[in-house]
Amino acid sequence: MAILVNEKTRVLVQGITGRTGAFGTRAMLEYGTKVVAGVTPGRRGENVWGVPVFNTVKEAIDEVGPIDLSVTFVPAPQVKDAVIEALEAGIKTIVVPAERVPLHDILAMVGRAKALNARIIGPGSLGLISPGKASVGWIGGARELIEDSFRPGDIGVISRSGGGVTTICWLLSQAGLGISTAVHVGTEPVVGTTGAELLREFQKDDETHAVVVFGEVGGLMELEMAEIMRKGEYEKPIVFYIAGRMLPSGMRFSHASAIIERRSDTAEYKEKLLEEAGGFIAKRPMEIAEIVKKILRR
Amino acid sequence: MVRLYEYQGKQILKDNGVPVPEGYVIFRANDVATVLDRIGKNVAIKAQLLTTGRLKAGGIRFASSINEVVSIVNDMIGKEIKGTRVDKVLIEEKLEIVKEFFISITVSDSYKIKGPIILFSTEGGVNIEEVAEKHPEKILAMPIDYLKGIDRDDVKKGIMRLGVPENLAEQLADFVAKLYDVFKKYDAHTVEVNPLVLTKDGRLLAADCRITIDDSSMYRHPELGIEVPRDIARPITEFEKMAWKIEESDYRGVCYFMQFVSDVNEIARGGYIAFHGIGGGACMLASEVLLRRGFKLATYLDTSGNPTAFKVYRGMKVSLSLPNIDGYYLAGAVIANQEQWYHGFAIVKAFREYSKYKPGFPVVILIAGNKEAETHRIITEGLKDVPLRWELYGREKVLDIDFITDRFSKLVEGYKGGDAKAVGSVMDFVEAKGPSEDELRDYLWFKTSTGGEVYVNLKRCVAPNCGFACVKACRWMGTGALKVERGKPSLASRDPESLRRLCSECLACEFYCMVRGSNAIRIVVPVQGLVDVVSKYLHLYR
């Protein structure tokens, strides 16, 4: 089953004729993702790796039929308009790789998605992958790395770091485990889909038997995951690694969301809360696979 | 988020119709008299800092005579409060306060909100988190639908529920609405007024304010005159300013540089290392191990999101230019998704150049993920025979940071116990020089889009014997600025503008000419401002 994306998901690429758009499209097609159309205003009639290009999202849907998910390879200053166009055309899942998107643009996008009962992954998300089924966005890069790092299986992965998502999946794959779906939530101060919401999805997914989370200092994400666990909305085994222990406060560490301003932002506080809520803590990433194996008795 | 000083925030409030106390910023006690002439002798003197909690630390004091004010100002300026040296104070009319409130408009990343939230409390002037713990009933928390905006009537009713009389609640709701306008207009993350005061003469004033602006929106707000939109709770250093210029002038990928230790004099005392990660996750993973093991980090550099080789090289050059560092720790501590060979070229160039200034310098490099094998080949070939203590690791050690750190310790020990000595001047490393005017006629050359210069020494060039290594590399890794013409490398266009577009600043031609050809290509990648800043501290380098 996996969550959010599978072999049947019909994918649109906005900004398909740009350098990154064309590159991403090729990688997705090679992986077997069902990319059915692309959009670049004014470029109707062209095709990119065989995918037909249209001027607008609506036009694309009229021509190729319903679309489940759009990935927007559009630069940060323009991405709000692209996302809102896709939302208003009725697409329910939008993946946004752009980083450094103006905060109030994010609020407008996320607000619109909420009103239309749709979901945004990102901004600042590398994408997501359901191994053996489909990959959306940038995840994994070259083919050999994808094969090595993303074996199909029953572990869900949630990460706040782009490198983190591939690293966790690689670790699990090397240890003989596999992944149901891996999601990079994005690096921005507000993201469309948080860890708490993804945990609810993984709870519903029959193919997912455990979840691994790459967390960071700063922000509410891990604290709210603990809340979801305490409420019993997520009950499967879960392992956390929180990056950024010992870092000084008052400085931002690359990701806009990774800054320690209060006690609850620290790795130590988050670990304590998550442990109390029934989560397992890996103090070092190397321990993750071992802990998962122990819990699942494999 | 970019933090504004209190006085900057108050200027914004004032410009947008929010009442603030009368006050002026001064940088020296000489200006006290002029200020007191305008606002009277009963004043508050407030140190301008980017951190909170200055009241307890002595950063706010009161006075009622000119001599007193002068002596307080003299005392405050130059003093260190909460880790930063005070260089300006705000002098304001002293307020006769009847009641203090707390008001904040901020963005919540909670999955239940993902938008603006208004926090209001009848307990102002104190730490709001303490109020939230002890008296949650005294706090109004009201999420706002970003698309609809604020409903003044809802805010008024909310405030009345905290026991505020209708008339005052009405005025407070007005105040909140004005702050919300500021929040939207300036792309703010937070607009906080604590305390918002009601004075004896019936005025509502923002007695203090803390505004943070979203750094990704800074390009929309040139009027704010923010030089370096980085989230650091202290003034930006000269090296950080320089690094920001690298970031700002090139949108391809990230080059995020900051100093763990802001004082260059302290770094110069020795015992510090330069830290460089690839990607935010990798940086955090590795730096926490280093800190746990007691290493003193001078810098934090993150190059990720597929930056060009030039951008990586420039970031490294800024880091390496700090005085008297004992080693370089380059941690690609995750399985990276980006194409890493551009890192490979930058690493080779930066360390080859640095090795001439500091032979024996210790370096560990961890690079794993996409294009790992290719990148390792580039580094191994490029640093072969270079007099550095360098070691390179890949995915087999990607999470064994303790091992990498052990190796690094050994290399640093060897360096410090042995030949730790600079050769010549740091300026030889810092200055990027091309051929002289006289020599230029032997060269083929052009300028790149970020001010770099590519020189091909045709006298030295051995093409076609090298198989046109530079042209092949340019086609394969770059975007085709070089071509073959009459048996020699040549430029793909005569038009300088087209060449700027055609060169993707990947450094591949220089590298492959070095390893396959005759080392006839020299690429000059200047870092704007580096020469000036390093010259200033030249006495510190040993």
Side-chain angles (χ1 to χ4, degrees), chain A:
Chain A
M1 223 167 79
I3 67 165
L4 304 171
V5 64
N6 60 36
E7 69 280 9
K8 292 187 198 120
T9 308
R10 292 165 58 83
V11 173
L12 172 80
V13 178
Q14 289 175 269
I16 191 167
T17 58
R19 191 175 68 95
T20 51
F23 190 75
T25 302
R26 186 172 156 189
M28 289 191 276
L29 287 169
E30 273 179 5
Y31 197 73
T33 309
K34 221 173 190 177
V35 182
V36 295
V39 167
T40 299
R43 303 286 286 270
R44 185 197 166 93
E46 295 181 23
N47 79 78
V48 174
W49 308 112
V51 176
V53 181
F54 300 94
N55 285 335
T56 66
V57 177
K58 189 168 173 305
E59 204 178 275
I61 294 174
D62 288 346
E63 302 266 343
V64 305
I67 285 168
D68 305 304
L69 180 152
S70 174
V71 50
T72 57
F73 288 111
V74 176
Q78 287 91 43
V79 79
K80 178 183 94 176
D81 292 343
V83 169
I84 288 182
E85 184 192 344
L87 287 169
E88 288 181 347
I91 301 179
K92 292 298 178 201
T93 304
I94 323 277
V95 177
V96 187
E99 281 186 75
R100 287 182 272 167
V101 178
L103 179 61
H104 286 236
D105 287 4
I106 300 177
L107 299 182
M109 273 154 45
V110 171
R112 197 78 191 105
K114 209 177 195 177
L116 292 168
N117 207 11
R119 181 199 309 276
I120 291 172
I121 309 284
S125 167
L126 202 61
L128 57 154
I129 183 170
S130 299
K133 295 177 174 137
S135 158
V136 174
W138 273 127
I139 282 194
R143 193 77 205 256
E144 61 77 39
L145 183 61
I146 294 208
E147 305 281 316
D148 247 25
S149 310
F150 299 94
R151 284 186 32 183
D154 62 350
I155 317 286
V157 174
I158 301 170
S159 174
R160 281 175 68 182
S161 147
V165 77
T166 309
T167 306
I168 302 279
C169 292
W170 180 78
L171 272 172
L172 295 172
S173 297
Q174 296 300 306
L177 296 160
I179 290 97
S180 56
T181 301
V183 185
H184 177 212
V185 296
T187 53
E188 303 289 291
V190 172
V191 291
T193 305
T194 73
E197 293 160 286
L198 290 171
L199 283 189
R200 286 180 179 156
E201 297 295 324
F202 279 126
Q203 176 68 26
K204 281 187 272 177
D205 179 31
D206 294 336
E207 282 182 11
T208 301
H209 294 132
V211 168
V212 175
V213 180
F214 186 103
E216 288 177 0
V217 294
L220 291 176
M221 195 173 94
E222 296 79 7
L223 308 178
E224 291 193 331
M225 288 167 115
E227 184 187 311
I228 291 281
M229 288 155 63
R230 277 200 309 273
K231 284 189 190 157
E233 293 181 47
Y234 177 84
E235 291 180 312
K236 299 176 186 178
I238 183 163
V239 180
F240 291 88
Y241 169 74
I242 312 289
R245 199 173 301 125
M246 297 195 65
L247 291 181
S249 64
M251 277 183 175
R252 193 190 112 181
F253 291 94
S254 308
H255 297 155
S257 47
I259 180 164
I260 301 170
E261 283 175 321
R262 45 183 88 83
R263 198 168 62 96
S264 60
D265 287 334
T266 61
E268 292 78 359
Y269 185 91
K270 289 183 175 187
E271 285 172 352
K272 186 171 162 277
L273 213 67
L274 289 164
E275 206 158 23
E276 283 168 9
F280 293 83
I281 306 295
K283 291 278 180 198
R284 302 188 310 157
M286 282 173 96
E287 300 164 6
I288 291 171
E290 213 175 296
I291 298 177
V292 174
K293 277 187 161 174
K294 211 183 226 167
I295 304 169
L296 296 179
R297 294 175 196 198
R298 287 186 196 159

Side-chain angles (χ1 to χ4, degrees), chain A residues 103 105 140 166 192 224 252 254, chain B residues 110 114 214-215 256 302 337:
Chain A
L103 179 61
D105 287 4
T166 309
E224 291 193 331
R252 193 190 112 181
S254 308
Chain B
S110 165
K114 292 178 205 162
D214 171 43
D215 43 336
Y256 184 94
D302 174 9
N337 297 277

Side-chain angles (χ1 to χ4, degrees), chain B residues 456-516:
Chain B
V456 184
N457 186 337
L458 290 173
K459 267 195 168 164
R460 202 163 173 179
C461 170
V462 293
N465 295 344
C466 59
F468 296 104
C470 61
V471 179
K472 272 190 196 156
C474 185
R475 282 195 191 136
W476 178 40
M477 336 271 295
T479 31
L482 299 177
K483 64 170 184 183
V484 178
E485 196 175 74
R486 289 193 218 104
K488 284 286 168 191
S490 161
L491 305 182
S493 166
R494 285 180 194 286
D495 172 33
E497 203 36 61
S498 314
L499 279 170
R500 265 195 267 277
R501 249 199 336 272
L502 283 171
C503 174
S504 61
E505 307 194 319
C506 71
L507 293 173
C509 59
E510 185 188 52
F511 176 84
Y512 283 104
C513 183
M514 176 180 81
V515 298
R516 307 262 183 280

